[in-house]
Amino acid sequence: MLRPVLCALALWLPAAVLAAPAPPPLPVPPIVDRHTQPERALLGFAPPPPAVTCAEGAPRRLSGNRFSPAPSWMPAGEAAPRQETFLFRIDPSGRPLGIRAATPRRDDQTEPLEATLAAWRFEASNAGFTGCAYTVEGRVHLPTLAPADLLRQAVAERTWRGRDEWRLRQLIGSAGCGPNTAPAPRITHHPDYAAVQKLPGRPQWSLESFDVSTQGRPHHVVHIADSGAPDLRRRSERAVRASRWESKEAVGCLMTYYAPPAPLPAPPMPQRTGYERPGDSCEEDVDLSFRTPIPYPKAAEGRRIEGWALMRFDVAPWGEVGSIEVLASEPTSAFGLMASNYLRMAKASNPSTGRKGCIVPVRFKLPELMTDAGDAED
């Protein structure tokens, strides 16, 4: 009797319900205009200033690298400006410290810009300078419209890799010595990197151009650009002339020689007693455990800049770490940010009743280099 009942019920349903709805039409793919699609571009920064603005005046900048260009994307034909202000102080020796972005916004370029600024040197003074500020100005360029010095720096510092890198090389005159046409090296000479004066926190490079004869000898050796390292430049030109390639003619070959920076030690760390508060209850040391070693800020590691962060936090009775606060970090805010992120993964093994206002130092120390050898890339 069940089947007739179901059929009877179906007879009373409206026709609109019984009819299956028509499937929606397939979406039509949008028409893409290739002229509005993002293109591979270069983010370049203005040259460093002769001086910066501080509360006590405008100290002169004596030395330091230019900001490195970065890969970017942009709609064709547009140039998006970029500005980021950094705040810092300058100690009596002329070293910038306490470097941090004026706004909390951080992106992929904030840390490299901080690290570059940390290796600058200003004029010495009796008491140093406070309340210093500098606004980094950048602009995105299409490679074909980029300034020549930006293209040369991007090639030397390997801003792009692979096919995009060869595109930049072509724009600075290396079209005749591409990945499929360059002669293979037979005897490669390098500068005496051990004799090159290392600069704290400042890597050095020198970019050379040359042709190769049918006998595999370099000729028309021309210096293209460098990071402000005249000693490395002279040694690089001699290294190119002494090298040999296979017997295959080529025009517009490039070679970049790199000298690593000397370590830039961290400034002294203050005593934790200056940050203690009434009501804190963390008299004993806290035993923290981590699943992985603490990572090093990448831009600072590349420039061999050491640093530290002084951190404050609470510990729950079950071992969870919370209320994490960066009390101070030097020489850039990247060390405090890295320490803060790392403490979030910590677990206290002896909290008993919990702790409040624990203060611990986090030091970032680089291992000693086993060699003074530099590097070369063609």
Side-chain angles (χ1 to χ4, degrees):
M1 298 297 294
L2 183 61
R3 183 181 181 91
V5 172
L6 291 176
C7 292
L9 290 175
L11 293 175
W12 287 96
L13 293 176
V17 175
L18 294 176
L26 295 175
V28 179
I31 299 176
V32 178
D33 184 358
R34 65 180 181 87
H35 297 289
T36 62
Q37 290 300 293
E39 290 190 28
R40 195 78 158 142
L42 286 172
L43 173 60
F45 299 96
V52 296
T53 303
C54 300
E56 296 83 2
R60 291 184 300 110
R61 174 183 166 276
L62 302 180
S63 62
N65 290 129
R66 291 189 58 165
F67 297 110
S68 298
S72 181
W73 295 92
M74 64 175 290
E78 295 183 9
R82 171 205 166 98
Q83 288 188 338
E84 186 162 4
T85 300
F86 292 93
L87 308 177
F88 54 97
R89 69 183 189 279
I90 300 174
D91 72 4
S93 70
R95 178 180 181 179
L97 295 172
I99 303 167
R100 68 187 190 280
T103 60
R105 176 186 65 86
R106 297 182 71 91
D107 57 25
D108 293 342
Q109 287 307 304
T110 301
E111 184 185 333
L113 293 174
E114 284 183 347
T116 301
L117 205 161
W120 286 4
R121 281 297 175 271
F122 295 86
E123 60 180 323
S125 61
N126 292 330
F129 297 87
T130 60
C132 303
Y134 173 60
T135 299
V136 180
E137 297 183 357
R139 183 170 292 277
V140 178
H141 302 269
L142 289 175
T144 53
L145 302 176
D149 60 338
L150 177 62
L151 291 174
R152 291 191 287 264
Q153 185 183 7
V155 168
E157 297 187 0
R158 305 298 298 274
T159 299
W160 286 355
R161 297 282 182 165
R163 183 182 303 175
D164 289 325
E165 179 183 3
W166 287 106
R167 181 184 175 195
L168 292 182
R169 286 171 170 255
Q170 291 174 349
L171 292 174
I172 64 173
S174 183
C177 197
N180 299 321
T181 59
R186 292 291 182 255
I187 302 175
T188 302
H189 282 257
H190 293 268
D192 184 1
Y193 293 111
V196 176
Q197 181 184 5
K198 307 299 188 299
L199 305 176
R202 294 169 54 189
Q204 302 176 77
W205 53 264
S206 183
L207 178 62
E208 317 299 326
S209 172
F210 58 96
D211 301 338
V212 178
S213 69
T214 54
Q215 291 78 34
R217 293 177 175 272
H219 61 106
H220 296 152
V221 179
V222 177
H223 175 71
I224 299 296
D226 62 72
S227 59
D231 185 26
L232 179 62
R233 169 183 173 173
R234 291 189 294 269
R235 297 176 185 275
S236 298
E237 291 184 51
R238 291 198 295 266
V240 170
R241 296 182 187 278
S243 299
R244 294 293 181 268
W245 284 261
E246 67 174 317
S247 300
K248 178 181 177 181
E249 190 173 15
V251 178
C253 299
L254 297 176
M255 181 72 76
T256 308
Y257 296 93
Y258 304 91
L264 182 58
M269 180 181 290
Q271 295 293 325
R272 69 178 73 181
T273 54
Y275 295 92
E276 293 176 348
R277 304 171 303 186
D280 286 343
S281 56
C282 193
E283 294 79 11
E284 301 178 6
D285 290 337
V286 180
D287 186 10
L288 298 176
S289 60
F290 300 88
R291 289 176 293 180
T292 59
I294 185 169
Y296 209 100
K298 186 176 180 181
E301 183 179 22
R303 292 182 171 274
R304 296 189 58 75
I305 298 174
E306 298 180 338
W308 53 260
L310 197 61
M311 310 297 298
R312 178 160 56 204
F313 56 90
D314 299 340
V315 180
W318 53 89
E320 182 179 353
V321 175
S323 300
I324 300 171
E325 180 183 359
V326 181
L327 300 177
S329 68
E330 292 291 358
T332 72
S333 65
F335 293 98
L337 180 63
M338 186 65 73
S340 179
N341 292 337
Y342 193 60
L343 281 175
R344 289 188 176 92
M345 301 184 294
K347 189 80 171 179
S349 58
N350 60 339
S352 62
T353 59
R355 309 285 175 83
K356 179 178 176 59
C358 299
I359 298 177
V360 298
V362 180
R363 293 181 173 85
F364 294 82
K365 183 75 174 176
L366 290 165
E368 295 290 336
L369 283 179
M370 300 301 294
T371 176
D372 287 329
D375 193 13
E377 291 184 343
D378 58 5

